[in-house]
Structures are given as C-alpha cells and as structure tokens.
Amino acid sequence: MARRVLVGGLLAATAVIAPAAAQSFKAACEALAGAPEVTLATFVAAGPQSFAGPPPFSIDAPDHCLVQGAAAPHVGIDGKPYAIGFEVRLPANWNGKFMFQGGGGSDGVLRPAVGIQATGAVSALARGYAVASTDAGHRDEPGPVGPYLFGLDPQARIDKGYNHIPVVTAKAEDVIRRVYGRAQSRAYFVGCSNGGRQGMAATQRYPDLFDGIIAGAPAYRVPRAAIEGIAEVQQLAAIAPKGSDGRPDLGAALSADDIKLVADKVTQACDAADGVADGMVNNVRACRFDAATLACTGGQTTDCLAPAKAKTIAAIFRGTTLADGSALYAEWPYDPGIAAPGWSVWKTGTPGKTPPDARNVTLVPGSVAYYFSSPPEKPTDLYNYTLSYDI
C-alpha cells in the first residue's frame, strides 16, 4: 500500500511494504541465525527501549528483527583477533529503504542501529527504515590508549578508515533480502563528525553504494586537524598554572570569565556585521576582530586579559603555521560561541583535572600516535606526548 506524508512542508508518497503475518516475520528473522557471519538474530516486540549509550537514550521501537554479526575476521600483526562488527535492525513494517548509520569518535563501539540517538525523537527504525551500524572493525579496549590500539594492525587501520563501509553495506543488503525477499528501493548514509567523515569517504570511494548521503560536521583532513588540536594544547599549556602533578593545569589556562570576555568583545565588534545589531554574530566571515585589543595595558586590570592570554587567543584562532609559513590546517572564525560549553570541553577541559580531560588530550593525541603515524608510536601518557610533540 502507499501513504502520503508531509515532509518539510512538501507532500511526498512513501511506499510501505505490508509485512507478512507476525509469525512469518518472526520466523524469517530467527532463521537468520544460520546466515554467514551472523552471531545473533532475534525478534524484538514493539515498545519502549532504552540504551546505555553513550549517550544514553530511549525510543519507542516497533516490532523488528535485531541482527548482529562479525564480518571479514582476521588476526592482526599484534596477535589480536579483529572483525568488522555490524548490527542491522529490520522493522516488520518496512518502508522499502535502507539507512547506514555512521559512527563517531574513533569508532570501536557497536551502537544501536536505530537511526537516532536522542530521547523523544522519532527514530529511522520507527519510520520504517532498515538500519545498520558498525564498530568499523575493532572494539575499544580499557585504558586511556585503549580506543587506539587497533592502529598497531595495518588491516584494522584500513577497515576503520573506509573498508567497513562496503562490507557492512553488503551484509545489511543480504539480511534485507533474506527477511523481506527483495532488495531495498533506496539506500542512504547518515552520519556526523567521524560519521560525517565516513559519509565523505563513501562519496569518494564508493559512489554507487548510496542514493543519498548526509555528512554532518565531517571530521575531514583529520590527521592535520588532530595535530592542530595538539598545537592548541601546547599553546594553552604554556599559559596554564602548574597542577598538583607539576604539569600545566590545562583546565585553568583560561577561566570562564576570560572566555566570556572574549565572547562579549567579539559580539561588540562583529554583531552589526550582518546588518542587524541583535546580540548575535551571524556573518562570521565579515568579523574583523583583533585579539590584541583584549590585552590589558597601562595598569588596566579589569575588562581585559593578561597579554599572554590575549596572545594565545590570537594564535589559536589564527591557526598554526609550519616552519615554511604554510598553514598546518585552517584558521578559525571569531565567534561568541567560544563561551558555549563545547569550546572548553575540547580545548581546556575541567580545572584541576589531572591528567586533563579536554578532548584535545583524551581523543586527539592517541589517534595521532597509534593511527595516523606510520609506523605507529606507542605512548602511554597522552598528555606528556601532547606536550612534547614536535609540530
């Protein structure tokens, strides 16, 4: 049958595949247990489902078939077993379409294949999509460098970088045919951050796999972006007070008041650049802010920053340059969003935290050492590695 739905203000027709009898669907689902590389096939009845995350969330799930498996297994040169883990969820009321759900961070986690990770939102699964997810060929191990140890194996690097995309797509399509008796009419990829990078990789390496791709906030040119993050840590550590371990307390490099001052000054300088003075900077390209104006002068002690802090702000937003004067990665537009929690979460982290919990320490240097460097390096202290890295 067909139904008409309102999507973004436009009427669109969406075909819905009428399921076979409930028992037939359940039987077709459980029969997948004998399919190659499938480790779990079970029917899940409709109702609320909660997932531990991160992030934790819950959805109203429809009747569906949950399938998990491990494809393309191999033993790495580090002697550890690897495989491309996958999960596919197939709704009893299928709309005939398939969605590949992108990963995040360094992958290494098999996230629920529901097409959304936000409580209260309607999941792609509930909308009738068959959805697949993957761990990209490795699982996180305990410890600060655990998420990156896969980088010691060349094949695991390749699987994480891009090879998981066609492998998991093929497994999902095989499962779809076995349950529904036909192939999907459309296939889409949706991801953000590293998932956005996966989407970009799919457009370039496998342009025939998907009918459409949403690559949100793609973590692209990641090796250079990661080294830029290391450079920012070094710049902030240079102005940070010493912590209890004798090393720079990164979280105390800039106080909340310091960051708010920067945001306020950027707003004052660039608010009207979009043609309307409304307290927002919407034309960041037209913003011509000079961080040198933040520095205290002539005995000034309020409404300004210590000169070293102002210089550091300018350096971070200007972007790192190499010895030959070329840009390492990119400059950053001045934006009062610096005062939003996300900026500090990435750049400085929590004051007094040892080692620092800034993502530019916990997430970035491990990827540079174990994954982006050839041959890989093997630091156990990511903060020390960050502080000593030769940009």
Side-chain angles (χ1 to χ4, degrees):
M1 61 181 176
R3 63 180 177 179
R4 293 173 66 80
V5 295
L6 188 64
V7 181
L10 299 176
L11 284 173
T14 301
V16 177
I17 308 301
Q23 285 302 112
S24 298
F25 179 82
K26 185 174 184 292
C29 171
E30 294 174 347
L32 289 170
E37 300 179 325
V38 169
T39 58
L40 171 70
T42 186
F43 175 79
V44 180
Q49 281 214 320
S50 297
F51 303 96
F57 68 102
S58 59
I59 65 168
D60 288 325
D63 283 345
H64 67 278
C65 179
L66 167 61
V67 182
Q68 292 181 345
H74 76 277
V75 176
I77 64 171
D78 53 1
K80 297 178 181 178
Y82 290 93
I84 300 175
F86 64 89
E87 178 173 297
V88 186
R89 293 184 185 243
L90 307 102
N93 287 300
W94 185 40
N95 66 9
K97 301 174 185 178
F98 163 58
M99 173 185 156
F100 194 131
Q101 171 185 304
S106 57
D107 291 316
V109 177
L110 188 60
R111 293 176 171 84
V114 297
I116 191 87
Q117 293 184 15
T119 296
V122 180
S123 66
L125 180 67
R127 294 177 186 272
Y129 287 82
V131 185
S133 65
T134 179
D135 61 11
H138 66 279
R139 294 295 176 95
D140 288 351
E141 299 183 35
V145 301
Y148 315 104
L149 291 175
F150 74 93
L152 300 176
D153 178 58
Q155 183 59 48
R157 288 187 178 211
I158 292 171
D159 288 343
K160 193 270 185 190
Y162 53 87
N163 188 53
H164 65 277
I165 299 171
V167 171
V168 173
T169 300
K171 297 305 299 185
E173 290 177 340
D174 178 61
V175 167
I176 286 171
R177 289 190 185 93
R178 288 172 181 263
V179 170
Y180 300 122
R182 56 167 292 232
Q184 72 273 1
S185 61
R186 292 286 187 270
Y188 304 106
F189 188 102
V190 180
C192 184
S193 191
N194 180 56
R197 180 202 64 81
Q198 292 170 320
M200 296 291 284
T203 66
Q204 297 175 49
R205 293 179 178 271
Y206 315 108
D208 296 331
L209 280 187
F210 303 103
D211 297 288
I213 290 174
I214 298 176
Y220 216 50
R221 297 178 71 206
V222 185
R224 284 179 176 265
I227 296 172
E228 177 72 32
I230 287 177
E232 292 171 355
V233 169
Q234 292 180 358
Q235 291 161 345
L236 289 162
I239 62 170
K242 297 296 183 183
S244 59
D245 60 357
R247 297 190 293 188
D249 180 357
L250 190 67
L254 294 169
S255 70
D257 287 341
D258 292 336
I259 295 173
K260 183 179 184 301
L261 175 67
V262 177
D264 291 344
K265 294 298 185 182
V266 171
T267 301
Q268 293 171 17
C270 301
D271 180 1
D274 57 8
V276 179
D278 55 2
M280 296 186 290
V281 178
N282 288 320
N283 190 353
V284 293
R285 291 182 179 274
C287 182
R288 298 291 181 266
F289 182 73
D290 182 1
T293 62
L294 296 168
C296 299
T297 59
Q300 182 184 12
T301 58
T302 60
D303 200 37
C304 62
L305 295 181
K309 291 184 177 182
K311 186 176 180 180
T312 298
I313 290 292
I316 288 174
F317 279 85
R318 182 172 58 247
T320 303
T321 54
L322 302 177
D324 62 2
S326 63
L328 168 62
Y329 181 57
E331 64 181 352
W332 301 94
Y334 279 100
D335 185 331
I338 184 176
W343 197 89
S344 296
V345 165
W346 277 91
K347 312 291 186 183
T348 59
T350 307
K353 190 75 172 180
T354 56
D357 59 1
R359 289 183 182 174
N360 274 350
V361 174
T362 62
L363 181 64
V364 167
S367 64
V368 172
Y370 285 87
Y371 183 42
F372 300 138
S373 297
S374 294
E377 302 176 48
K378 303 176 183 179
T380 56
D381 185 333
L382 295 181
Y383 192 31
N384 184 65
Y385 175 80
T386 302
L387 295 176
S388 61
Y389 189 87
D390 184 351
I391 304 297

